[in-house]
Amino acid sequence: MARLSIIVLVIMVLVLRTALSELCNPQDKQALLQIKKDLGNPTTLSSWLPNTDCCKPEWEGVSCDTDTKSYRVNILDLNGLSLTKPYPIPSSVGNLPYLGSLYISRMNNLVGSIPPSIAKLTKLGFIRISHTNVSGQIPNFLSQMKSLITIDFSYNALSGTLPPSLSSLPNLVGISLDGNRISGTIPGSFGSFPKHFTVLTLSRNRLTGNIPTTLAKLGLSFVDLSENMLEGDASVLFGANKNLRKIDLAKNLLAFDLGKISLRSKNLEGLDLRKNRIYGTLPKVLTSLKYLRTLNVSYNNLCGQIPQGGKLQRFSEYCYAHNKCLCGSPLPPCT
């Protein structure tokens, strides 16, 4: 009997020691286990077990804050889970109050709208929900989440219009909403993004109308508005004071004089303007862009000689083809 009592005592001590040494916050663990359950217990999350520490590396996609020693879950990366049937984004995600980064991507069976419970994540800086079948509108509650730095909702089934209120986010650096079903116009309020806002990618949607002149205020580095139905003047996106590195406006209905815009951004690496209604001549300043790696102005209404020098003759004939009267190397000589 005494031996049995000693064994029981040893087991109790070991259990207590394990409980005391666990770094994971109990509320965080409960939320994570509920997320696992709400997603149908996918095999990728088989390491998420009630009797193990969620702050240990074995918990796939979970990271805890070791810098402040709070050990609260601050990163959740749910990428490529094999869901057995369609599931919505678990509302239990909102029960991780210290979450700073939320990545949910590459799940065809993830459906439904973005849950309002995400608005409870007041410390969230980075949110990515991409390559899923999540649908519905871009939620207005995002404008309440003042800590957001980047929003990536690319390649989903989102519809509706762009919320003008997104421009009120004081820390926002970039938005990526490519590959959805978003319609309507680009809000004029988007010109009021903070000074450090540098990335705007809205390609492969159903956007219409003119590009707002207010966007001239932004110091954008990466712009992708390709494969929409935008029309009119896009010259507001260029300028001597810009730090453009890549701009893609391909496959729209844009019409403006390319020869009159300023392309003095020294760091410009990519310029894609193909399949629009752009006219005028190619600016000679293109020859001075030493970092230019990609250029395509085909299928427009450009005229005149292609400026000689720089990297312009390194691009293939295809990059200049199907214009009104563009000529000179690598196209046939001007007559």
Side-chain angles (χ1 to χ4, degrees):
M1 180 65 70
R3 183 176 181 182
L4 180 61
S5 298
I6 293 173
I7 292 173
V8 171
L9 182 61
V10 169
I11 292 173
M12 290 178 63
V13 168
L14 290 174
V15 170
L16 182 61
R17 181 181 296 174
T18 301
L20 290 174
S21 64
E22 185 169 326
L23 300 175
C24 181
N25 179 274
Q27 286 77 30
D28 289 353
K29 178 187 280 190
Q30 183 179 359
L32 290 168
L33 292 174
Q34 187 62 48
I35 290 168
K36 177 184 176 182
K37 181 181 178 181
D38 292 344
L39 290 173
N41 297 306
T43 55
T44 311
L45 304 184
S46 59
S47 61
W48 292 18
L49 298 172
N51 59 346
T52 59
D53 189 343
C54 75
C55 288
K56 297 296 183 182
E58 289 77 17
W59 278 59
E60 185 75 24
V62 177
S63 295
C64 297
D65 184 0
T66 56
D67 293 336
T68 64
K69 305 298 182 183
S70 69
Y71 298 103
R72 300 302 298 261
V73 173
N74 62 351
I75 300 175
L76 181 59
D77 189 345
L78 301 175
N79 179 39
L81 301 184
S82 298
L83 304 183
T84 55
K85 63 179 184 179
Y87 289 96
I89 297 173
S91 60
S92 42
V93 167
N95 296 329
L96 294 168
Y98 287 81
L99 206 60
S101 302
L102 175 61
Y103 306 122
I104 300 173
S105 62
R106 302 195 179 278
M107 286 185 271
N108 289 334
N109 265 343
L110 197 69
V111 298
S113 58
I114 299 171
S117 61
I118 284 181
K120 297 192 297 182
L121 303 176
T122 57
K123 299 182 183 297
L124 197 67
F126 307 92
I127 181 169
R128 181 176 71 226
I129 301 171
S130 67
H131 295 85
T132 74
N133 274 306
V134 168
S135 58
Q137 297 194 355
I138 300 168
N140 280 311
F141 65 67
L142 291 174
S143 62
Q144 305 167 19
M145 303 175 69
K146 303 303 182 182
S147 58
L148 281 175
I149 297 171
T150 63
I151 299 171
D152 181 356
F153 290 163
S154 55
Y155 298 97
N156 297 297
L158 296 171
S159 57
T161 58
L162 295 169
S165 57
L166 291 178
S167 61
S168 66
L169 292 169
N171 298 305
L172 205 62
V173 170
I175 293 178
S176 296
L177 302 172
D178 311 270
N180 283 285
R181 302 168 187 171
I182 301 166
S183 58
T185 60
I186 299 174
S189 63
F190 275 27
S192 301
F193 281 119
K195 290 182 179 180
H196 45 262
F197 185 85
T198 58
V199 178
L200 180 64
T201 65
L202 308 172
S203 69
R204 300 184 182 185
N205 279 288
R206 301 170 183 176
L207 297 172
T208 56
N210 294 322
I211 295 173
T213 57
T214 54
L215 297 194
K217 303 174 187 176
L218 302 179
L220 296 169
S221 295
F222 297 91
V223 184
D224 191 349
L225 305 180
S226 63
E227 299 190 46
N228 281 289
M229 293 174 282
L230 297 168
E231 54 189 316
D233 190 358
S235 60
V236 296
L237 299 172
F238 301 90
N241 60 337
K242 305 291 185 183
N243 189 32
L244 282 171
R245 293 182 61 185
K246 179 182 177 182
I247 182 164
D248 190 344
L249 304 176
K251 299 183 180 180
N252 279 289
L253 304 171
L254 299 168
F256 59 97
D257 189 340
L258 186 60
K260 292 184 177 180
I261 67 169
S262 175
L263 273 171
R264 297 186 181 277
S265 180
K266 296 179 180 179
N267 297 318
L268 189 66
E269 299 173 7
L271 177 65
D272 193 345
L273 303 176
R274 62 196 154 97
K275 296 189 177 180
N276 278 288
R277 300 170 181 175
I278 301 169
Y279 54 91
T281 59
L282 284 177
K284 187 173 177 57
V285 72
L286 286 171
T287 61
S288 65
L289 301 178
K290 60 181 180 179
Y291 298 112
L292 193 64
R293 294 188 177 93
T294 60
L295 172 70
N296 198 325
V297 295
S298 62
Y299 292 90
N300 278 292
N301 295 317
L302 295 169
C303 271
Q305 182 169 354
I306 297 171
Q308 302 297 297
K311 298 186 176 183
L312 296 191
Q313 278 63 54
R314 299 182 187 179
F315 300 110
S316 71
E317 181 179 348
Y318 167 78
C319 299
Y320 301 101
H322 300 283
N323 272 286
K324 187 176 181 181
C325 48
L326 205 58
C327 57
S329 178
L331 293 178
C334 300
T335 56

